[in-house]
Amino acid sequence: MKQILVIAEIFKGRIRPVTWELVAGARKIAAILSQTRNIPGKHLPCIQIIVPSDNPKPLAEKISEQTGNAVIGLQIPGFKTYTSDIYIDCLGQLIREMTPTHILAAHTSQGRDFAPGLALELNAASISGINHIRFDETGLFYSRPVLDNTKNMLVRPDPDRPVMLTLMPGVFKPDSHKKGKTKQVDILKISFGSDACENSRIQPTKILKRPCENQALKGAKIIVAAGRGVEKKENLELISRFADCFSSSAVGASRPLVDMGWIGYEHQVGITGTIVAPEVYIACGISGSSQHIAGMKDTKCVISINKNPTAPIFRHSDICITADVLEFIHAFLTLPDPV
Amino acid sequence: MKILVCIKQVGDDGDMNRFDAHALEEALFIKEHSDNTMPEPVSVDIVTAGPSTAEKIIRRAFGMGADRGFHIVTENSDYISSFVTAFGLSAVAKKTSYDLILTGIMSEDMMAGQTGPMMAKILNLPCATGVIKIFLPLTGKTIKVEREMENGFRDGLVILLPAVLTIQAGINTPRYPCLSNMLSANRKQILSLSSEDLFWEPIRARESCIGMEDPEKARTGRVLEGSVADKAAQLFSFLREKNLI
Ligand SMILES: Cc1cc2nc3c(=O)[nH]c(=O)nc-3n(C[C@H](O)[C@H](O)[C@H](O)COP(=O)(O)OP(=O)(O)OC[C@H]3O[C@@H](n4cnc5c(N)ncnc54)[C@H](O)[C@@H]3O)c2cc1C
């Protein structure tokens, strides 16, 4: 029987929640296949979730319990921390013996790191950063953001080989109520040399956490966030004055401002910064990249100021203000008080 | 020590992909800070796969300080698969035994982030993506780096050379091309190759682009009308209604 394989994402010995999104994506693919391929006598692919670990049993059982899907605990002796070397080799050994149609991983720092190499190892097609799973009469195809998130590109893999897909986190909603009966858990041992960590060309030393004091961002009702559209470091002063208009506010920023050293990392909103959900988020000169949106999409009300009327941020906004952000804030600060 | 940096031309202005500029800067920085600690001098080559207009970014790379430039001249096409690009770049990389191959974490146009890790697989080299720090000076057979993960986490790694690293923004500030380099850049020869020079038979993509779409709206988006002052006043009353100001 053919399989739709999901590579669970494990970080520091724990299952990361994006794993449930991958299962949702796999179910969507399975549903489309059952809808479109009504070929009698042919089996539909089944979903199997793979958990790599040196001791996969507890993780595998937990995933099986949560999803009701079949789980393979991939036991790698000596495996401690993720490296692409170990993943590509061991997952390659395992999956080569299977007949998958689809292999799903998360489009995260981990999935992006091993998926392209694993695809080549398996002679598979490879499509990264998927935000929609679709189909037409020819079969499945996938959409992925391109051109600074201004467009979605539709991509179809060759039908005659498996396809490795990485799914954008936060897009596919985990369906918790769809729990099946607890299915089979298999533990398979695959070695990467005699000791996985020693044999790897990549030696993990330690996992570090960048200190970030983000309580101000987390606690604020209103976040005024600056992007590259503020043009100069000095203009951040104006952003602060804008934020000071509100009683409970904090200043956020897009990543490039932090990278350029204009503002501290503790202000960065996004997937590699802080995830926030204030009552109001005012995006000032921010284009709306998927990595930034992922950090503020649960905001109650999003207000955007951008001089480009087609900026992607406007698709994620409740109030859209097309204007030069500096001019706009000046106008706001000099409003005659209507009281 | 020989370093290869893979760069790409992107956007309407035909500039160097921002992440690749960070990769090139890092290579040049390594050269400047490891020349005395490495057994042999450090050289920095660049390679790009792209249409003839991509010459512009090769000249820019020379201006920044790159030593040799390779150009795989491709047709002007809307879609080029990372898979095909990775094979082309790897074929060039194989001609010289590089100790370190750097490229950006992704391109700003296709945003796939696959070329680097695919090259590593083709060349059978270890690979780390999203590198945000390289520890200098380099001294020998390994390289110590930090790879960026989500939510402020970083992965410290020691990697056996030769290796492929993809570089994340924030690692450095790319330099501007300097005038003296720019002048000699114009005299420097670009080593042009076609895919026929590199392969017996064309490498075929394993996927195809079947269309482009505008992304759907995640929120309704009320557009404020009027002059800038009108818009400011409207925002003020909106926030006042919500008791936020
Ligand atoms: C792995 C990875 C992780 C990342 N993590 C994050 C993250 O956590 N957070 C994050 O923010 N980014 C992150 N990024 C970067 C992200 O891809 C974008 O590059 C970044 O978010 C863009 O920032 P920006 O919107 O400020 O700049 P730009 O994309 O350059 O947008 C500037 C905007 O300002 C507008 N503008 C210009 N001038 C004016 C003006 N005078 N008035 C009004 N508007 C103006 C422009 O129209 C444009 O829309 C990450 C990238 C990668 C690859």
Side-chain angles (χ1 to χ4, degrees), chain A residues 108-121:
Chain A
T108 52
S109 60
Q110 189 178 99
R112 283 196 309 265
D113 198 53
F114 75 81
L118 181 60
L120 294 204
E121 175 76 28

PDB file of all heavy atoms in Angstrom, chain A residues 108-121:
ATOM      1  N   THR A 108       9.954  24.892   8.628  1.00  0.00           N
ATOM      2  CA  THR A 108      10.528  25.542   9.804  1.00  0.00           C
ATOM      3  C   THR A 108      12.043  25.453   9.671  1.00  0.00           C
ATOM      4  O   THR A 108      12.548  24.860   8.720  1.00  0.00           O
ATOM      5  CB  THR A 108      10.112  24.779  11.069  1.00  0.00           C
ATOM      6  OG1 THR A 108      10.445  23.403  10.855  1.00  0.00           O
ATOM      7  CG2 THR A 108       8.636  24.888  11.342  1.00  0.00           C
ATOM      8  N   SER A 109      12.758  25.980  10.645  1.00  0.00           N
ATOM      9  CA  SER A 109      14.220  25.930  10.562  1.00  0.00           C
ATOM     10  C   SER A 109      14.689  24.476  10.449  1.00  0.00           C
ATOM     11  O   SER A 109      15.719  24.207   9.854  1.00  0.00           O
ATOM     12  CB  SER A 109      14.845  26.603  11.781  1.00  0.00           C
ATOM     13  OG  SER A 109      14.451  25.954  12.953  1.00  0.00           O
ATOM     14  N   GLN A 110      13.935  23.551  11.008  1.00  0.00           N
ATOM     15  CA  GLN A 110      14.330  22.152  10.909  1.00  0.00           C
ATOM     16  C   GLN A 110      13.938  21.544   9.557  1.00  0.00           C
ATOM     17  O   GLN A 110      14.775  20.954   8.867  1.00  0.00           O
ATOM     18  CB  GLN A 110      13.682  21.361  12.054  1.00  0.00           C
ATOM     19  CG  GLN A 110      14.198  19.953  12.163  1.00  0.00           C
ATOM     20  CD  GLN A 110      13.578  19.202  13.342  1.00  0.00           C
ATOM     21  OE1 GLN A 110      12.645  18.429  13.172  1.00  0.00           O
ATOM     22  NE2 GLN A 110      14.087  19.439  14.533  1.00  0.00           N
ATOM     23  N   GLY A 111      12.686  21.701   9.179  1.00  0.00           N
ATOM     24  CA  GLY A 111      12.216  21.101   7.920  1.00  0.00           C
ATOM     25  C   GLY A 111      12.950  21.660   6.708  1.00  0.00           C
ATOM     26  O   GLY A 111      13.341  20.914   5.801  1.00  0.00           O
ATOM     27  N   ARG A 112      13.157  22.978   6.693  1.00  0.00           N
ATOM     28  CA  ARG A 112      13.867  23.599   5.574  1.00  0.00           C
ATOM     29  C   ARG A 112      15.289  23.076   5.462  1.00  0.00           C
ATOM     30  O   ARG A 112      15.885  23.104   4.402  1.00  0.00           O
ATOM     31  CB  ARG A 112      13.945  25.120   5.793  1.00  0.00           C
ATOM     32  CG  ARG A 112      12.689  25.878   5.500  1.00  0.00           C
ATOM     33  CD  ARG A 112      12.997  27.373   5.357  1.00  0.00           C
ATOM     34  NE  ARG A 112      13.770  27.884   6.468  1.00  0.00           N
ATOM     35  CZ  ARG A 112      13.261  28.478   7.537  1.00  0.00           C
ATOM     36  NH1 ARG A 112      11.963  28.658   7.624  1.00  0.00           N
ATOM     37  NH2 ARG A 112      14.033  28.911   8.503  1.00  0.00           N
ATOM     38  N   ASP A 113      15.826  22.608   6.597  1.00  0.00           N
ATOM     39  CA  ASP A 113      17.222  22.196   6.664  1.00  0.00           C
ATOM     40  C   ASP A 113      17.434  20.805   6.043  1.00  0.00           C
ATOM     41  O   ASP A 113      18.426  20.580   5.368  1.00  0.00           O
ATOM     42  CB  ASP A 113      17.652  22.198   8.135  1.00  0.00           C
ATOM     43  CG  ASP A 113      19.161  22.226   8.323  1.00  0.00           C
ATOM     44  OD1 ASP A 113      19.800  23.115   7.744  1.00  0.00           O
ATOM     45  OD2 ASP A 113      19.687  21.365   9.052  1.00  0.00           O
ATOM     46  N   PHE A 114      16.485  19.886   6.280  1.00  0.00           N
ATOM     47  CA  PHE A 114      16.728  18.531   5.795  1.00  0.00           C
ATOM     48  C   PHE A 114      15.890  18.138   4.582  1.00  0.00           C
ATOM     49  O   PHE A 114      16.266  17.239   3.821  1.00  0.00           O
ATOM     50  CB  PHE A 114      16.534  17.496   6.928  1.00  0.00           C
ATOM     51  CG  PHE A 114      15.095  17.209   7.290  1.00  0.00           C
ATOM     52  CD1 PHE A 114      14.328  16.332   6.535  1.00  0.00           C
ATOM     53  CD2 PHE A 114      14.499  17.807   8.392  1.00  0.00           C
ATOM     54  CE1 PHE A 114      13.003  16.059   6.871  1.00  0.00           C
ATOM     55  CE2 PHE A 114      13.179  17.548   8.728  1.00  0.00           C
ATOM     56  CZ  PHE A 114      12.438  16.674   7.960  1.00  0.00           C
ATOM     57  N   ALA A 115      14.725  18.792   4.369  1.00  0.00           N
ATOM     58  CA  ALA A 115      13.796  18.320   3.338  1.00  0.00           C
ATOM     59  C   ALA A 115      14.394  18.309   1.916  1.00  0.00           C
ATOM     60  O   ALA A 115      14.244  17.315   1.204  1.00  0.00           O
ATOM     61  CB  ALA A 115      12.498  19.123   3.384  1.00  0.00           C
ATOM     62  N   PRO A 116      15.080  19.381   1.476  1.00  0.00           N
ATOM     63  CA  PRO A 116      15.604  19.343   0.100  1.00  0.00           C
ATOM     64  C   PRO A 116      16.610  18.205  -0.109  1.00  0.00           C
ATOM     65  O   PRO A 116      16.579  17.529  -1.146  1.00  0.00           O
ATOM     66  CB  PRO A 116      16.281  20.709  -0.065  1.00  0.00           C
ATOM     67  CG  PRO A 116      15.634  21.594   0.956  1.00  0.00           C
ATOM     68  CD  PRO A 116      15.340  20.692   2.118  1.00  0.00           C
ATOM     69  N   GLY A 117      17.459  17.971   0.877  1.00  0.00           N
ATOM     70  CA  GLY A 117      18.438  16.886   0.777  1.00  0.00           C
ATOM     71  C   GLY A 117      17.760  15.525   0.800  1.00  0.00           C
ATOM     72  O   GLY A 117      18.124  14.621   0.040  1.00  0.00           O
ATOM     73  N   LEU A 118      16.746  15.382   1.662  1.00  0.00           N
ATOM     74  CA  LEU A 118      16.021  14.107   1.730  1.00  0.00           C
ATOM     75  C   LEU A 118      15.311  13.829   0.410  1.00  0.00           C
ATOM     76  O   LEU A 118      15.280  12.694  -0.067  1.00  0.00           O
ATOM     77  CB  LEU A 118      15.025  14.132   2.895  1.00  0.00           C
ATOM     78  CG  LEU A 118      14.218  12.850   3.113  1.00  0.00           C
ATOM     79  CD1 LEU A 118      15.128  11.655   3.410  1.00  0.00           C
ATOM     80  CD2 LEU A 118      13.206  13.027   4.244  1.00  0.00           C
ATOM     81  N   ALA A 119      14.756  14.879  -0.188  1.00  0.00           N
ATOM     82  CA  ALA A 119      14.071  14.709  -1.481  1.00  0.00           C
ATOM     83  C   ALA A 119      15.035  14.128  -2.507  1.00  0.00           C
ATOM     84  O   ALA A 119      14.702  13.172  -3.221  1.00  0.00           O
ATOM     85  CB  ALA A 119      13.508  16.042  -1.962  1.00  0.00           C
ATOM     86  N   LEU A 120      16.247  14.671  -2.583  1.00  0.00           N
ATOM     87  CA  LEU A 120      17.213  14.156  -3.556  1.00  0.00           C
ATOM     88  C   LEU A 120      17.611  12.724  -3.213  1.00  0.00           C
ATOM     89  O   LEU A 120      17.738  11.877  -4.086  1.00  0.00           O
ATOM     90  CB  LEU A 120      18.458  15.044  -3.626  1.00  0.00           C
ATOM     91  CG  LEU A 120      18.298  16.464  -4.152  1.00  0.00           C
ATOM     92  CD1 LEU A 120      19.620  16.978  -4.700  1.00  0.00           C
ATOM     93  CD2 LEU A 120      17.228  16.567  -5.215  1.00  0.00           C
ATOM     94  N   GLU A 121      17.809  12.465  -1.925  1.00  0.00           N
ATOM     95  CA  GLU A 121      18.157  11.118  -1.471  1.00  0.00           C
ATOM     96  C   GLU A 121      17.114  10.102  -1.960  1.00  0.00           C
ATOM     97  O   GLU A 121      17.437   8.981  -2.301  1.00  0.00           O
ATOM     98  CB  GLU A 121      18.230  11.127   0.060  1.00  0.00           C
ATOM     99  CG  GLU A 121      18.473   9.801   0.736  1.00  0.00           C
ATOM    100  CD  GLU A 121      19.919   9.346   0.637  1.00  0.00           C
ATOM    101  OE1 GLU A 121      20.798  10.218   0.533  1.00  0.00           O
ATOM    102  OE2 GLU A 121      20.153   8.122   0.673  1.00  0.00           O
TER     103      GLU A 121
END
